[in-house]
Amino acid sequence: MFYFCLLSVYNFFQKHYTRRRSTARFIIIIFKAVKMITHIIQSQNTAPQDNLALEEHLGDICGPDDVWLYLWQNSDSIIIGRNQNPWRECRVSLLKKDGIQLVRRNSGGGAVFHDLGNLNFTFIASPELYDLNRQLKTVLAALASFGIQAEFSGRNDITAGGRKFSGNAFTHKKHVSIQHGTLLVNSNMGKLSEYLTASKAKLQSKGVASTRARVCNLSELCPSISVEKLKIALHGAFNQIYNMQAVCEPIIPQSNYSHLIEKFYSEQWNYMQSPAFAAQFETRFPWGEIQLYLDTRHGVIEHALLFSDALDADFISSIPPLMEGLPFSPENMASVIDGSTPQGADLKNWLLFLEL
């Protein structure tokens, strides 16, 4: 019966819309909706290394018809972007003294403080089913159930009344795309400022006072909200926006992704230990701040590191290997940068006029 109805809709569409490309696109959209399977999973673990490992594992097992909503919380920890310098972003010695975990995630973006007053959400889907607009609608619908009228703002924020309570970051691979974000419900703002540092360039562009003033907890906007209530609201909104009942998945045994847990616990991954570099350069673009570290020998670049809070993590991590082995000069470094994108053009132009 369903497919008879689908055929009737198709015939109507074909009769009234003669463009073949539009008809084909319509059919593709319908069949994607038919095949889609939504899943929701909640972590009972609060170790940031374990939760990030599970997130990556869900991306690895995500099939072409799957859309996952993953909800998780971390105990006190600093989570830095894939290409960030931990010594630049955090007070590392204070973190270690206080027993605060520092963990590097796979996505780009900046450093954030997590505690049990914050709820993390992750959408995981194949590139064909990944839909940022639909995913954001899910979050906004959940917040609206508490009377909070929110909107997506800037490059990666969710705000209400101009105040930020959520930062988002993204990872895109050949077979899967991931969006994850924070939701500050009742987070300890004092610790956030205690453990994170801000560069001079970031302070000059945003200002300390204005940055602190524009960040808020959702509990300030709705005193009755809680992490548990927000989890339930997100589950309901996920079903509503995707118009189907999500499969509630059981906890996945850690033995299935132990290699990923090992990765997120490793010092090498989290701190990316490196020797002192002879040359250091830094600047800030509208899309993010960068710090370039170069080690040279006999006028040739032997090692390069590029740290950044840019959201496009793959673009940033692709640069250092291109520079290694080049004669050390602005022209040579600029020559390997693809200037066809706005980010590439900015970086290429900056390198070209570096004062060595």
Side-chain angles (χ1 to χ4, degrees):
M1 182 65 182
F2 174 80
Y3 289 100
F4 175 77
C5 294
L6 180 60
L7 182 61
S8 299
V9 174
Y10 168 72
N11 288 334
F12 174 84
F13 191 91
Q14 192 175 45
K15 180 179 178 181
H16 292 84
Y17 298 88
T18 56
R19 291 177 61 188
R20 292 181 180 177
R21 184 177 298 176
S22 297
T23 304
R25 187 175 177 215
F26 171 79
I27 292 299
I28 289 170
I29 291 170
I30 289 293
F31 273 101
K32 278 182 181 178
V34 171
K35 294 172 63 181
M36 184 191 300
I37 304 170
T38 55
H39 311 259
I40 187 164
I41 187 168
Q42 298 188 38
S43 173
Q44 304 304 314
N45 198 326
T46 60
Q49 299 92 338
D50 296 345
N51 285 332
L52 286 165
L54 176 55
E55 181 184 70
E56 184 169 345
H57 176 65
L58 292 175
D60 290 342
I61 66 173
C62 181
D65 304 325
D66 295 327
V67 178
W68 289 81
L69 173 58
Y70 169 44
L71 301 178
W72 45 293
Q73 288 181 273
N74 290 335
S75 56
D76 289 12
S77 52
I78 297 293
I79 312 299
I80 61 174
R82 187 171 110 193
N83 296 302
Q84 286 194 291
N85 181 346
W87 291 276
R88 178 66 176 257
E89 302 298 329
C90 320
R91 296 181 172 94
V92 173
S93 58
L94 184 61
L95 290 179
K96 293 186 175 182
K97 175 177 174 289
D98 292 351
I100 305 297
Q101 301 292 316
L102 182 142
V103 188
R104 184 183 301 276
R105 63 180 185 267
N106 286 321
S107 62
V112 290
F113 173 74
H114 286 186
D115 63 10
L116 296 180
N118 167 67
L119 175 62
N120 301 299
F121 64 89
T122 307
F123 290 96
I124 304 168
S126 63
E128 293 78 17
L129 294 180
Y130 179 85
D131 186 338
L132 181 59
N133 184 54
R134 206 173 192 183
Q135 292 152 202
L136 288 171
K137 279 185 177 179
T138 298
V139 177
L140 298 184
L143 295 169
S145 70
F146 296 96
I148 299 171
Q149 301 305 312
E151 62 180 353
F152 193 63
S153 172
R155 65 177 188 151
N156 66 329
D157 297 340
I158 301 178
T159 63
R163 303 185 71 189
K164 172 183 173 179
F165 53 82
S166 174
N168 290 247
F170 313 89
T171 303
H172 300 287
K173 299 180 181 179
K174 186 175 181 179
H175 80 287
V176 70
S177 289
I178 296 173
Q179 172 204 357
H180 56 191
T182 55
L183 288 167
L184 300 177
V185 178
N186 192 23
S187 193
N188 188 326
M189 296 294 186
K191 287 187 176 180
L192 187 149
S193 58
E194 182 180 1
Y195 294 117
L196 294 179
T197 59
S199 68
K200 291 181 181 179
K202 193 173 289 187
L203 293 179
Q204 289 169 356
S205 69
K206 293 185 177 180
V208 178
S210 63
T211 299
R212 286 178 181 167
R214 72 188 187 93
V215 176
C216 73
N217 277 312
L218 287 167
S219 58
E220 298 174 48
L221 307 176
C222 176
S224 65
I225 198 171
S226 68
V227 169
E228 290 306 314
K229 289 179 181 178
L230 186 52
K231 287 180 183 179
I232 295 169
L234 283 165
H235 191 164
F238 187 48
N239 289 339
Q240 173 195 343
I241 297 301
Y242 283 82
N243 198 29
M244 62 180 67
Q245 282 292 123
V247 178
C248 294
E249 300 289 353
I251 299 301
I252 299 173
Q254 290 191 340
S255 57
N256 290 16
Y257 54 97
S258 57
H259 63 293
L260 295 175
I261 294 175
E262 184 178 341
K263 163 188 165 180
F264 285 104
Y265 273 98
S266 73
E267 290 274 312
Q268 179 60 35
W269 168 258
N270 290 320
Y271 286 92
M272 288 190 175
Q273 303 276 4
S274 59
F277 284 79
Q280 301 177 18
F281 308 93
E282 61 184 87
T283 191
R284 184 168 183 82
F285 300 109
W287 44 266
E289 183 179 359
I290 64 168
Q291 304 107 40
L292 175 63
Y293 295 76
L294 300 171
D295 196 16
T296 63
R297 181 177 175 83
H298 303 310
V300 175
I301 300 171
E302 284 198 331
H303 302 290
L305 273 181
L306 187 61
F307 293 111
S308 178
D309 61 355
L311 291 176
D312 191 345
D314 290 331
F315 168 72
I316 297 298
S317 60
S318 70
I319 303 302
L322 299 176
M323 292 185 173
E324 291 172 355
L326 291 177
F328 181 40
S329 75
E331 294 79 10
N332 286 323
M333 290 188 289
S335 70
V336 299
I337 307 298
D338 180 3
S340 62
T341 65
Q343 287 179 321
D346 284 345
L347 185 59
K348 190 181 189 76
N349 188 60
W350 174 70
L351 287 170
L352 194 57
F353 294 99
L354 274 183
E355 293 184 9
L356 303 185

